[in-house]
Amino acid sequence: SKAAPNEVLVSEPVAYEAETRFTLEELAPLELKGKANVVQVYRVTGFRDSDSTASFVRRSGVGSTAPQTKPSP
């Protein structure tokens, strides 16, 4: 696994589905075994407030300005 302990990484299609419920941080694309091309991945960084709008946190700094919260244990 490319994810560190207690870290959740998701592919771009999953990120698009999850962005309304979770805050995400775009990471550098990864080379994955069994895939011909690199895969864009995102780190799940927390739960999204129900009042905030969905947007990825991009490495360039463009993206959500909503505060990020840590998931509850």
Side-chain angles (χ1 to χ4, degrees), residues 23-26 42 45 55-59 62-64 68:
T23 55
L24 304 164
E25 177 184 0
E26 181 182 24
Y42 297 82
T45 57
S55 179
F56 293 120
V57 177
R58 304 247 180 230
R59 281 178 282 139
V62 176
S64 174
Q68 296 182 6

Side-chain angles (χ1 to χ4, degrees):
S1 172
K2 301 284 184 174
N6 298 316
E7 180 179 55
V8 177
L9 301 180
V10 297
S11 65
E12 195 161 41
V14 173
Y16 282 120
E17 293 295 324
E19 71 176 333
T20 59
R21 304 222 32 201
F22 300 96
T23 55
L24 304 164
E25 177 184 0
E26 181 182 24
L27 302 177
L30 294 176
E31 290 183 20
L32 299 176
K33 184 177 179 179
K35 298 291 184 181
N37 298 316
V38 294
V39 175
Q40 180 59 56
V41 294
Y42 297 82
R43 177 185 297 124
V44 177
T45 57
F47 293 105
R48 186 171 295 286
D49 294 333
S50 60
D51 296 335
S52 64
T53 58
S55 179
F56 293 120
V57 177
R58 304 247 180 230
R59 281 178 282 139
S60 64
V62 176
S64 174
T65 58
Q68 296 182 6
T69 57
K70 294 184 179 179
S72 300

